[in-house]
Amino acid sequence: MNHVHPRRLRHAGLALCLALTLGACTGLDLRPAPMALYDLGVTASQSLPAELAPAQLKLSAAPWLSATAMHYRLSWLDPSRRRAYAESRWVSAPAEMLGLALDRGLAVGAGGLHCHLRVELDEFVQVFDSDTQSHVELIVRVALLPSRSTVPLARTEFRITEAAPSADASGGVSAHRSAAQRLVHEISAWLLALDRASTAGLNGYGRCGV
């Protein structure tokens, strides 16, 4: 009767275990989860009287908002640090999405107001107050300029905070959509107030040029 050396048995057992392990792995899906893409949706149409629709809108953003990453902060843990969701992205840069929302909501280029708007996006982030609560912050600076001048007729800053319905990426998206809609309404209200404050309106006395 032939005897098998114990060392050979040990090697054969290890080989069998390795083969079984590799066989089991072939049944697993090790591909990364698909990236979730979000946008700001379609904002409500014109919220301004046609005569106050800006002739043009120029929107710029802080350099860190030029990509599609969805940023967030943990207020209780190093709040100055910006983080980004690993499996969620915007479909385009925040400034591009916000620009479309403002174009639609303010009816930009509809032929009303001769002035144009300059909008600078300073913040667009979700902030976690705890592991179960979060809100978003939207900060922009807006200037109203005549058609032939770079000297603003008026300027202001809007700081919008909107609670998120859930402390995750989708909750942040929902809150950002509401914040964008609020920005449209607040800029509309600002332009209306400026027009009422002028005896002949914003287009009168050449304030917005012709």
Side-chain angles (χ1 to χ4, degrees):
M1 180 176 180
N2 294 329
H3 293 281
V4 180
H5 195 279
R7 183 178 296 176
R8 291 183 179 178
L9 284 175
R10 202 162 46 243
H11 288 168
L14 289 173
L16 178 60
C17 288
L18 179 60
L20 290 174
T21 301
L22 291 176
C25 286
T26 59
L28 298 177
D29 186 356
L30 300 180
R31 292 173 298 178
M35 186 67 68
L37 298 177
Y38 295 97
D39 58 33
L40 291 181
V42 179
T43 59
S45 57
Q46 183 178 350
S47 61
L48 267 175
E51 63 270 17
L52 291 181
Q56 189 179 14
L57 184 145
K58 297 180 180 179
L59 197 151
S60 60
W64 53 88
L65 295 174
S66 61
T68 60
M70 292 180 63
H71 292 169
Y72 67 91
R73 297 182 191 272
L74 303 179
S75 62
W76 72 89
L77 179 65
D78 197 4
S80 61
R81 178 182 173 186
R82 297 184 79 90
R83 305 165 190 260
Y85 285 104
E87 297 177 356
S88 299
R89 292 285 186 275
W90 294 113
V91 294
S92 63
E96 295 174 352
M97 296 187 297
L98 193 60
L100 289 174
L102 292 174
D103 275 344
R104 178 176 170 81
L106 301 175
V108 174
L113 201 62
H114 298 308
C115 283
H116 62 271
L117 289 177
R118 184 177 65 209
V119 180
E120 296 169 89
L121 177 61
D122 292 334
E123 189 57 285
F124 194 87
V125 68
Q126 183 177 7
V127 178
F128 286 84
D129 306 299
S130 70
D131 58 354
T132 59
Q133 290 185 320
S134 69
H135 67 275
V136 301
E137 295 178 358
L138 171 59
I139 302 175
V140 299
R141 287 171 289 154
V142 182
L144 180 69
L145 296 93
S147 59
R148 296 190 178 92
S149 175
T150 58
V151 179
L153 292 173
R155 64 176 72 195
T156 190
E157 179 179 273
F158 295 98
R159 289 176 170 263
I160 296 175
T161 300
E162 191 76 23
S166 59
D168 54 16
S170 61
V173 170
S174 178
H176 274 302
R177 288 182 175 184
S178 297
Q181 190 64 62
R182 278 183 56 191
L183 180 63
V184 169
H185 290 309
E186 291 191 17
I187 292 178
S188 297
W190 179 62
L191 291 174
L192 282 165
L194 290 174
D195 188 60
R196 287 195 298 266
S198 176
T199 306
L202 284 175
N203 274 336
Y205 301 133
R207 294 193 71 195
C208 277
V210 291

